[in-house]
Amino acid sequence: MTRVADSQRFILGAEVDAFEREMARQLEVGDAIGVTSGTDALLVALMALGVGRGDEVVLPAYSFFATAGCVSRLGATPVFVDIDPETFNVSPAAMAAAITSSTKALLPVHLFGQCADMTALRALSDRTGVPIVEDAAQAIGARYHGRQAGTFGALACFSFFPSKNLGAFGDAGLVTTDDPALAREVRLLRGHGMEPKYFHWRIGGNFRLDALQAAILRVKAPHLAAWSAARRHNANRYRRMFAELGLTDLVRLPVEAEGCEHIYNQFVIRAPQRDALRAHLTERQIGTEIYYPLSLHRQPCYSGTQGTPGTPGTTGTTGTAPSVARLPLDVADEAAATSLALPIYGELTEEQQRHVVASIAEFFEAPRLRTD
Ligand SMILES: *Cc1c(COP(=O)(O)O)cnc(C)c1O
């Protein structure tokens, strides 16, 4: 941080150049382009592929909103498809069924830190000629049959939001690609399509990464593998504890798909009476989160009907954005109703995990005792 202050170069520059070179090496990919956030990484990646009005982009109905929002912001239509009941990741068969002559990109998400079924999705992309953009915001460093997340698509997008496995001191993101032409396009779009100064070849934007965030991430990035290993260790410890207390019939633990090295950005269980269980854990000082309480196709901005009523609507924006959900999205809806993320960060102690699992056992014990 002192080096950045002394340089007086606060945006891009040598610090960001060095960060990009180091990240490309670490993520085993040809090029890495630092941007303002994971959201802007998605936006600029789709822009680089020319996604715009009249185009469709196929994506899972169960993800963080940015995955869909970026498609709509470009005037294209997000096409929501269902997820796999085991992994929370997009169903390749559902994605295949949603492709039309308007499909401009496939946008799988490596949700919670585990790669989507990239063997099937790559085959689908090869067969149809539709490029893949990976939303790898939650999966930095995850591996799929030995290969890192972000090396399967034409482009991949990462986020350094502080809750991700590699977090900045604010917002930051990254686009990666092995295609030099796409890398050039993303770099151009990142700075208003400008080259040289004040000559504009594209209508880009300001998606430039701050040098301070790059400097901080350069210090943290070498620790990523150890931090993710600690999360994996904690995940295995949870599995043992849930089994020891006989809870595996009551709650569904996250499933590691074959060939996947899950980095557990989140450890998400599925449980009946999820909201009551969450309240019970909150009473016991255990922080939990619901990723995500509402599937994307049900969001009010996509004319969904299950949003919290009586909120916004005074901002002057009118109407809702078009979206398409051609097939049933039952698995996404079921996940939204039952999923609960437990603490999984690397510094979590065995004692803390025991408290979490014992509290869950207590929740399911209590009603049983009462009915006896
Ligand atoms: C965090 C996240 C994003 C957006 O990243 P930001 O850096 O917060 O803009 C996009 N997609 C997914 C799946 C995410 O988890």
Side-chain angles (χ1 to χ4, degrees):
M1 292 168 83
T2 308
R3 186 168 66 230
V4 171
D6 287 344
S7 79
Q8 292 290 293
R9 183 72 200 257
F10 295 111
I11 297 167
L12 300 181
E15 201 67 42
V16 171
D17 289 346
F19 169 67
E20 290 179 344
R21 276 195 306 275
E22 289 161 12
M23 286 316 291
R25 200 176 319 131
Q26 183 165 337
L27 298 175
E28 299 167 353
V29 68
D31 211 337
I33 303 107
V35 294
T36 23
S37 68
T39 302
D40 282 343
L42 287 166
L43 191 66
V44 78
L46 294 173
M47 287 170 84
L49 290 177
V51 170
R53 217 157 285 283
D55 296 331
E56 295 179 352
V57 176
V58 186
L59 57 114
Y62 191 63
S63 178
F64 178 58
F65 179 75
T67 316
C70 290
V71 175
S72 301
R73 287 169 65 189
L74 294 172
T77 303
V79 178
F80 301 123
V81 299
D82 214 350
I83 54 168
D84 177 272
E86 295 292 325
T87 62
F88 297 102
N89 277 323
V90 72
S91 153
M95 226 174 211
I99 292 177
T100 70
S101 57
S102 301
T103 309
K104 194 75 178 231
L106 306 176
L107 185 44
V109 181
H110 305 316
L111 203 68
F112 304 143
Q114 171 163 253
C115 286
D117 182 350
M118 295 315 292
T119 305
L121 293 175
R122 285 265 294 204
L124 179 62
S125 172
D126 289 346
R127 187 154 52 73
T128 56
V130 180
I132 293 171
V133 176
E134 296 172 68
D135 183 340
Q138 301 182 4
I140 190 164
R143 285 181 187 272
Y144 178 85
H145 292 283
R147 270 177 67 176
Q148 288 208 59
T151 61
F152 297 93
L155 297 142
C157 305
F158 294 90
S159 165
F160 304 112
F161 183 77
S163 76
K164 305 294 159 81
N165 279 29
L166 179 57
F169 284 11
D171 279 314
L174 192 77
V175 179
T176 59
T177 180
D178 278 320
D179 181 334
L182 283 175
R184 231 179 2 259
E185 190 66 21
V186 170
R187 280 212 169 77
L188 193 59
L189 289 164
R190 172 177 69 176
H192 288 297
M194 181 170 82
E195 182 60 50
K197 223 174 184 179
Y198 309 128
F199 289 81
H200 301 267
W201 301 88
R202 302 279 187 282
I203 316 290
N206 172 5
F207 309 125
R208 300 174 306 233
L209 179 62
D210 286 346
L212 263 177
Q213 298 302 346
I216 289 156
L217 288 165
R218 289 182 70 196
V219 175
K220 293 185 73 176
H223 300 281
L224 176 63
W227 289 333
S228 294
R231 285 168 180 267
R232 288 180 56 76
H233 175 79
N234 290 345
N236 286 332
R237 204 154 56 185
Y238 266 141
R239 287 182 199 286
R240 269 201 313 279
M241 291 176 174
F242 275 101
E244 276 165 20
L245 293 189
L247 289 169
T248 47
D249 290 335
L250 287 164
V251 304
R252 287 167 70 190
L253 300 181
V255 171
E256 288 195 16
E258 195 248 317
C260 284
E261 192 175 304
H262 199 318
I263 55 145
Y264 291 99
N265 178 243
Q266 302 299 342
F267 186 90
V268 176
I269 64 167
R270 272 175 283 184
Q273 304 162 265
R274 186 265 318 271
D275 294 333
L277 173 61
R278 187 180 191 205
H280 173 85
L281 295 177
T282 303
E283 263 172 37
R284 278 150 190 77
Q285 310 287 310
I286 296 166
T288 59
E289 188 54 88
I290 297 169
Y291 303 104
Y292 299 88
L294 204 57
S295 301
L296 292 172
H297 64 294
R298 297 203 185 277
Q299 296 295 341
C301 65
Y302 289 124
S303 310
T305 53
Q306 296 188 5
T308 311
T311 20
T314 52
T315 56
T317 53
T318 53
T320 53
S323 67
V324 179
R326 289 206 181 90
L327 294 164
L329 301 169
D330 300 343
V331 186
D333 283 337
E334 191 263 343
T338 61
S339 65
L340 188 66
L342 304 180
I344 192 64
Y345 56 91
E347 297 81 0
L348 202 63
T349 65
E350 182 166 354
E351 195 191 337
Q352 288 173 315
Q353 286 189 272
R354 216 175 278 292
H355 176 54
V356 172
V357 180
S359 300
I360 292 172
E362 183 186 51
F363 174 80
F364 287 109
E365 239 357 89
R368 244 184 287 168
L369 291 177
R370 275 200 296 274
T371 54
D372 278 350

